[in-house]
Amino acid sequence: VQLQASGGGVVQSGGSLRLSCAASGRTFSGGGMGWFRQAPGKETEFVAAMRWSDSNTRYADSMKNRFTISRERAKNTVYLQMNSLKPEDTAVYYCAASVRWVVSRMRQADTYDYWGQGTLVTVSS
C-alpha cells in the first residue's frame, strides 16, 4: 500500500492550496482517510478525516471553516482544500488511511494504518 501526497508549496497569507493523496495497493471502503500536520517543533495535529463509504467527515475545530476534505472514488484519492491560509498553517501535511472507521477515534494518529510521505506547506506573511 502506498499513499502519495502532493500539492504543497509556498503561498501568501490568505491564499489557497489543494493537497492530494492518492492511494494505491488497496481500497479503504470500510475505513477512511485523513490529514494530519506537523509544524516545526510541534506535535502532530489532526486536520480532517473522511469515511470512505459515505463521505462522513471530521474536522479539527480550528480548521473546519477554512479546510475541506473530499474524495474522488474512481481515483482512490482524497483532497484537502485549504483556504484563507495563515502563517500558523505552515507545516508538513501527511495523509493517512485506516482500514476501519472507528467513530470516536478518527482524530487520533494511532488509529491509522498507513501514512504518506508528507508534503510541505509554507504560508508567508
Side-chain angles (χ1 to χ4, degrees), residues 31-109:
M33 295 181 71
W35 290 95
F36 289 76
R37 69 184 186 183
Q38 187 171 28
K42 295 190 176 181
E43 295 185 351
T44 300
E45 178 182 26
F46 170 76
V47 176
M50 172 174 280
R51 185 161 60 190
W52 199 254
S53 61
D54 62 2
S55 301
N56 189 292
T57 57
R58 299 283 188 275
Y59 289 97
D61 287 343
S62 62
M63 292 170 247
K64 64 183 177 182
N65 294 323
R66 299 186 296 121
F67 292 4
T68 303
I69 189 171
S70 63
R71 63 158 167 78
E72 188 169 355
R73 187 187 294 271
K75 293 185 177 181
N76 216 25
T77 296
V78 67
Y79 303 98
L80 184 69
Q81 177 67 42
M82 306 185 294
N83 298 327
S84 302
L85 283 162
K86 307 173 183 180
E88 51 264 44
D89 293 317
T90 294
V92 178
Y93 284 71
Y94 297 92
C95 64
S98 174
V99 299
R100 296 165 301 278
W101 183 265
V102 184
V103 172
S104 61
R105 290 193 50 80
M106 299 314 291
R107 291 179 172 87
Q108 278 73 50

